[in-house]
Amino acid sequence: MHRLADFVAALKLSRTPADRDVDTFVAHARAHSPFYREWDGAPLTKATMMERFDDIVTDPRLRREALLAHVEEITGDDLYLGRYRVMTTSGSSGRKGLFVYDRPEWVALMSQFLRYTEAAGSRPRFPRRLRVACVLSPNGTHMSRRVLHSIIVGVHRMLGLSVTSPLSEIVAQLNAFQPQSLNTYPTIAVQLAEEQRAGRLRIAPELVSTSSELLTPEMTERIEEAWGVAPFNLFASTEGLWGVDCREHAGVHLFEDMTRVENVDADGHAVPDGEPGARLLITNLFNFTQPLLRLELADAVTLTSEPCACGSPLRRMRTIAGRSDDVLTLGGVRVHPLQFAVITRDRDVLEFQVVQTGAASVRVRVVAGADVADRVREAVGARLRELGVPGPRVEVELVPELPRPASGKLQLIVALDSPVGGDLTMSV
């Protein structure tokens, strides 16, 4: 029964902007967290968060090792000590992150999810319930799975599928279910779009939304061609920052009444709206159990305060260039992940991964419906030369599939010092 009660509370909270004061939240953290009693205001890294986890949390019963053991046993919507939801992230470096929310804090997080569904048009419908299909992480401790378990309260007809299932099985189940709303990662949405074009997938969703990975303009175009609807882009982080684009699809509106956002450059200096940053510093204003003050997220974005045609006063992430951790340096030139979007312009490409193999060389691993090696090699080489990379060397490897980590999210960019099989998040 607690799930239904929490859902109703979240629905009510989602309809009213939160009135949360930063100073009050910081005072609470200093009073109840040993770590923040000595905090000097410096940004908090995820490495420090994990190393000092036991000192950061405000409930002394919460201990990192015990919680990590707990998540290994989670099978559904399990609560730790009868009140806490525990989640993990692997992170782009492979470092596991650990996050804890009590029930009122989870209600606040869920209210952001319901704001997203309202913006995207998938609000509850009666008497005929909306058919919602989610193709997400198979990991039961990933936030997408925890949210999915929390919203299965009978308001929607839900189908939850794993991105690691064979594509043919996903297609068969979607054909049988006929979702009105489809929610998944951009790389999976592109594969399903091609299955739709090939006639193997036969669905007509009214709404498509993507999250957790970089959504490029080329991906958006292929999704819209398949179903005639522009995908909504959800930005949802386990750390607490959420936002979604509106019907104008002109950037992601951030729910800054719930999480304070600072956009900074590589040196940690504030970046004015309209200019690109290197990372975000966020302060979660509703998680009193695990206070996160000025926590670093590696997302490289450009914020804008310019009015949106939809009328929302919320600031937008006008552009999202992926994660600053995933910027490659080739021949002395910094190459952002979006530059490799030229690969997805090829209609035969289903998935790809770029692996740096040398100072100015990359291997592009491609899942494709045809031999695209020459086309991809030429397109990537031309783009790198345009960017000023001297003598770029591009190798193309055609593979039947690309490995996905426990989160299910595909790592698009692998730098020289990055482990293959990490986790490119758009910060979930």
Side-chain angles (χ1 to χ4, degrees):
M1 291 297 293
H2 71 265
R3 284 191 299 167
L4 179 58
D6 290 351
F7 183 90
V8 172
L11 184 61
K12 181 179 180 180
L13 185 61
S14 71
R15 294 169 176 169
T16 305
D19 183 15
R20 299 177 185 272
D21 179 69
V22 175
D23 292 338
T24 300
F25 186 82
V26 172
H28 168 85
R30 289 192 184 279
H32 299 280
S33 165
F35 174 84
Y36 287 111
R37 290 191 193 115
E38 59 188 53
W39 182 58
D40 61 1
L44 174 66
T45 66
K46 290 188 180 179
T48 299
M49 182 194 74
M50 287 301 290
E51 290 167 5
R52 299 290 305 277
F53 182 89
D54 292 356
D55 293 328
I56 288 175
V57 293
T58 58
D59 185 341
R61 297 176 299 171
L62 300 175
R63 289 294 175 259
R64 182 184 64 183
E65 297 309 314
L67 292 174
L68 290 175
H70 165 73
V71 298
E72 297 297 328
E73 302 175 354
I74 291 177
T75 58
D77 195 32
D78 299 352
L79 300 182
Y80 186 73
L81 300 179
R83 63 178 294 180
Y84 293 112
R85 286 180 174 86
V86 185
M87 286 155 287
T88 58
T89 62
S90 59
S92 59
S93 66
R95 182 186 298 273
K96 179 172 287 189
L98 184 63
F99 300 90
V100 184
Y101 291 87
D102 72 8
R103 284 186 58 191
E105 294 157 359
W106 187 250
V107 165
L109 185 142
M110 283 287 296
S111 75
Q112 296 187 102
F113 172 82
L114 293 172
R115 287 186 188 180
Y116 141 68
T117 60
E118 178 71 18
S122 61
R123 64 184 64 86
R125 302 177 186 178
F126 299 100
R128 301 186 66 179
R129 294 177 296 164
L130 188 71
R131 296 187 302 277
V132 179
C134 300
V135 190
L136 299 171
S137 170
N139 183 358
T141 67
H142 190 269
M143 185 182 65
S144 61
R145 279 288 162 182
R146 300 306 307 254
V147 170
L148 181 62
H149 284 302
S150 294
I151 65 174
I152 301 178
V153 294
V155 175
H156 299 105
R157 291 183 59 194
M158 301 292 304
L159 175 66
L161 302 175
S162 168
V163 295
T164 57
S165 296
L167 184 60
S168 59
E169 292 183 10
I170 296 175
V171 167
Q173 292 194 62
L174 290 175
N175 281 335
F177 187 67
Q178 287 298 305
Q180 295 162 288
S181 176
L182 175 63
N183 312 273
T184 188
Y185 302 153
T187 53
I188 298 297
V190 168
Q191 290 191 54
L192 293 175
E194 293 309 308
E195 291 294 296
Q196 182 84 16
R197 292 181 68 249
R200 291 182 289 272
L201 180 63
R202 298 174 297 279
I203 61 175
E206 304 167 14
L207 164 71
V208 177
S209 67
T210 63
S211 65
S212 304
E213 295 174 345
L214 185 63
L215 177 66
T216 68
E218 291 79 7
M219 290 175 167
T220 297
E221 180 180 349
R222 291 170 70 171
I223 294 168
E224 191 167 3
E225 285 180 3
W227 293 299
V229 293
F232 282 84
N233 189 15
L234 170 65
F235 185 103
S237 72
T238 314
E239 295 83 354
L241 177 62
W242 285 55
V244 68
D245 59 353
C246 62
R247 61 180 180 274
E248 301 296 329
H249 299 290
V252 172
H253 291 278
L254 295 176
F255 303 149
E256 289 190 273
D257 58 326
M258 305 292 283
T259 305
R260 182 182 179 184
V261 181
E262 302 171 64
N263 199 15
V264 300
D265 61 20
D267 296 320
H269 300 135
V271 172
D273 286 359
E275 296 185 12
R279 62 183 182 273
L280 299 174
L281 303 180
I282 69 162
T283 296
N284 182 323
L285 298 176
F286 60 92
N287 190 341
F288 292 85
T289 298
Q290 184 183 357
L292 300 175
L293 306 183
R294 308 193 75 212
L295 177 69
E296 291 186 356
L297 297 185
D299 299 277
V301 309
T302 300
L303 299 179
T304 180
S305 300
E306 296 177 356
C308 181
C310 75
S312 172
L314 298 175
R315 274 199 304 175
R316 287 171 289 153
M317 292 192 294
R318 189 176 66 196
T319 61
I320 305 173
R323 296 176 64 89
S324 55
D325 291 347
D326 297 299
V327 174
L328 297 182
T329 299
L330 298 170
V333 177
R334 288 174 60 81
V335 181
H336 281 79
L338 277 175
Q339 298 297 339
F340 294 103
V342 294
I343 300 171
T344 59
R345 291 178 181 170
D346 194 306
R347 301 305 307 233
D348 289 318
V349 172
L350 300 178
E351 284 187 331
F352 74 90
Q353 182 181 67
V354 177
V355 181
Q356 185 176 5
T357 55
S361 59
V362 295
R363 177 185 301 116
V364 183
R365 309 180 69 216
V366 178
V367 178
D371 189 345
V372 299
D374 290 341
R375 300 200 300 265
V376 170
R377 185 181 303 108
E378 181 179 345
V380 173
R383 174 53 57 88
L384 295 179
R385 287 189 291 273
E386 289 174 7
L387 296 172
V389 178
R393 295 181 297 278
V394 180
E395 174 190 357
V396 178
E397 178 187 4
L398 299 180
V399 297
E401 62 181 3
L402 291 172
R404 290 178 179 266
S407 68
K409 292 176 287 186
L410 180 65
Q411 184 180 10
L412 298 182
I413 307 296
V414 181
L416 279 172
D417 56 353
S418 297
V420 177
D423 186 7
L424 174 69
T425 69
M426 224 178 32
S427 292
V428 178

